[in-house]
Amino acid sequence: MIGMSALAALPTLRDYTSHRVSSYDHSGGNLDFWEIQPGETRVFAEIEGPACIKHIWMTMGIPQEDYCRRVILRMFWDDCEEPSVECPIGDFFGIGHGIRKNFISAPLGMSPENGNGFNSWWAMPFKKKARIEVENQGEKAYWHWFYIDYEKYPDVSAVADQCYFHVQWNRESNTRGWAHEEHIPMETRVQDDPRFYNVTGEDNYVVLRTQGNGVFCGAHLDIDCFQRNRNDWYGEGDDMIFIDGEPYPPSIHGTGTEDWYLCAMCPTQEYNAPYHGITLYSGNENWRWKGKNSVYRYHIEDPIRFRKSLLFSIEHGSGNKLSNDYSSTAYYYLDRPQRGGPPLPPVEARLPRHEEEPDYE
């Protein structure tokens, strides 16, 4: 029942009570933020189960935009001592590159002013307890406002068959594509080089690699085209989803990056839909797709089931020929809580590429 969220389900009187943890000023005043010092880890919420977090809103007063990558959001479920969610906070709420920007999708959004209102509607059920915390890995303090809205249930039966929410963040700051490394011109076609024929997926960019029993719910992909030939389209790379350790070809094999996020024909227009879209396009008429691009595809109506493992990877250009900066945030559920991917790299390895760094030819 807790998964019901459609308008038609609203009249159903389910057995729960409604609660919120927030940063409100307990003195009765309006200093409704928490100041998070550099190097500080602060617990925002410790919630007893059985319960389900239904919505999270946050905003931050930060000294510079890259604090969206410096501040880490973590979530722990039940008795698991490692975080099932460990993610740069901006990326968690749906867009990378350490930026805030207005956009909306079904599960995530950033709202005015200028993307400062972070929202998540992912359902996060748990049986025993939940802990949510942030860590400021920046060098300065910042202000943080938040709401965490949840339902609490009279007994565990309400969440007995529910899985645990997980997030995995990855980055490869230079995918080292063979075409750019060897200065091969973009006009080179399949018939001219056998490396265009990718029949293993081994060198693809990895969006999600996980073990367990669960469902994959989608991801956003953040690509900085810092190093490429003129107007070489980043999206000519197939998506591949390997389920339960299957060999190539996988059960789910796509036809191109823009096809994965359900757009077409090398798009150059920003577009937001409930389950797919382009949140950021930075190119221009002279240098299409130049710089930072962000796209998403959420499997809300078509979640991908796996029972042992899932590997979601995507080519960076045809046959992995392009050198670009890729990062991603994947969302999924498992039947038991565990670490959501490897530990995050240090701050320096997470920070977005500066605008003065591109190397265009």
Side-chain angles (χ1 to χ4, degrees):
M1 292 291 291
I2 69 169
M4 297 177 66
S5 60
L7 289 174
L10 291 177
T12 303
L13 295 177
R14 298 181 291 115
D15 192 4
Y16 67 92
T17 55
S18 300
H19 303 268
R20 170 179 291 171
V21 179
S22 80
S23 57
Y24 82 94
D25 186 343
H26 286 246
S27 75
N30 288 115
L31 296 178
D32 294 319
F33 59 86
W34 290 8
E35 186 171 55
I36 313 299
Q37 299 299 321
E40 179 183 5
T41 296
R42 179 77 68 90
V43 175
F44 280 9
E46 290 184 295
I47 304 170
E48 294 298 316
C52 180
I53 295 169
K54 304 291 285 188
H55 170 252
I56 297 174
W57 166 86
M58 292 183 177
T59 189
M60 303 188 299
I62 53 179
Q64 57 202 50
E65 283 300 291
D66 67 12
Y67 270 60
C68 292
R69 279 266 169 97
R70 293 177 184 270
V71 176
I72 303 303
L73 179 65
R74 297 190 183 94
M75 301 181 187
F76 301 78
W77 312 124
D78 289 359
D79 297 321
C80 186
E81 295 183 357
E82 294 192 288
S84 297
V85 175
E86 185 178 54
C87 188
I89 196 163
D91 297 71
F92 175 86
F93 285 100
I95 191 167
H97 305 300
I99 67 171
R100 296 172 288 185
K101 186 177 188 294
N102 294 344
F103 84 93
I104 186 62
S105 69
L108 297 163
M110 293 183 180
S111 50
E113 181 75 357
N114 297 321
N116 275 279
F118 295 175
N119 285 279
S120 166
W121 289 273
W122 292 111
M124 304 175 190
F126 53 94
K127 297 175 177 64
K128 297 180 180 179
K129 59 185 177 181
R131 184 171 92 248
I132 298 178
E133 66 182 34
V134 298
E135 181 182 356
N136 179 6
Q137 294 186 352
E139 298 175 351
K140 300 177 182 178
Y142 78 93
W143 294 351
H144 206 127
W145 294 255
F146 64 89
Y147 291 177
I148 300 170
D149 298 318
Y150 66 97
E151 298 176 351
K152 190 168 178 61
Y153 308 113
D155 58 69
V156 76
S157 64
V159 293
D161 62 348
Q162 302 295 305
C163 289
Y164 294 86
F165 180 69
H166 288 71
V167 167
Q168 186 171 129
W169 186 84
N170 286 319
R171 185 187 190 186
E172 191 173 347
S173 61
N174 187 340
T175 56
R176 300 198 178 278
W178 51 268
H180 187 277
E181 294 285 307
E182 299 176 22
H183 304 285
I184 295 173
M186 61 171 283
E187 292 79 12
T188 303
R189 300 304 179 192
V190 171
Q191 62 268 25
D192 301 319
D193 197 313
R195 289 174 292 184
F196 279 108
Y197 295 91
N198 181 3
V199 293
T200 66
E202 291 179 1
D203 295 323
N204 295 358
Y205 173 77
V206 174
V207 177
L208 174 62
R209 187 194 307 271
T210 190
Q211 304 285 324
N213 181 21
V215 291
F216 171 54
C217 304
H220 64 87
L221 185 63
D222 306 285
I223 304 169
D224 194 334
C225 299
F226 74 95
Q227 192 182 67
R228 59 176 171 79
N229 298 321
R230 179 181 294 271
N231 292 336
D232 202 359
W233 163 233
Y234 72 80
E236 207 57 63
D238 295 352
D239 54 302
M240 306 178 191
I241 300 180
F242 296 82
I243 298 174
D244 296 337
E246 65 186 345
Y248 186 95
S251 296
I252 300 175
H253 194 303
T255 57
T257 304
E258 80 269 41
D259 308 340
W260 168 70
Y261 58 83
L262 307 184
C263 293
M265 301 298 176
C266 311
T268 61
Q269 301 165 351
E270 295 183 359
Y271 173 78
N272 296 174
Y275 309 136
H276 73 286
I278 303 169
T279 51
L280 178 64
Y281 169 72
S282 299
N284 56 56
E285 61 182 8
N286 295 318
W287 293 98
R288 289 181 295 167
W289 315 297
K290 169 186 175 182
K292 294 174 171 57
N293 302 268
S294 293
V295 299
Y296 64 93
R297 166 71 161 102
Y298 297 127
H299 295 272
I300 307 298
E301 301 295 339
D302 54 348
I304 297 174
R305 185 75 167 90
F306 58 94
R307 289 166 175 79
K308 296 179 182 178
S309 65
L310 185 136
L311 170 60
F312 171 30
S313 68
I314 195 163
E315 292 180 298
H316 42 95
S318 297
N320 295 313
K321 72 173 185 175
L322 295 181
S323 297
N324 287 319
D325 184 335
Y326 273 61
S327 59
S328 57
T329 305
Y331 306 88
Y332 59 108
Y333 289 90
L334 295 173
D335 66 350
R336 63 195 64 190
Q338 63 185 39
R339 169 170 277 281
L344 293 182
V347 170
E348 294 73 19
R350 299 196 310 267
L351 293 181
R353 190 174 297 274
H354 292 303
E355 292 301 325
E356 62 268 19
E357 293 180 17
D359 176 21
Y360 297 104
E361 295 184 346

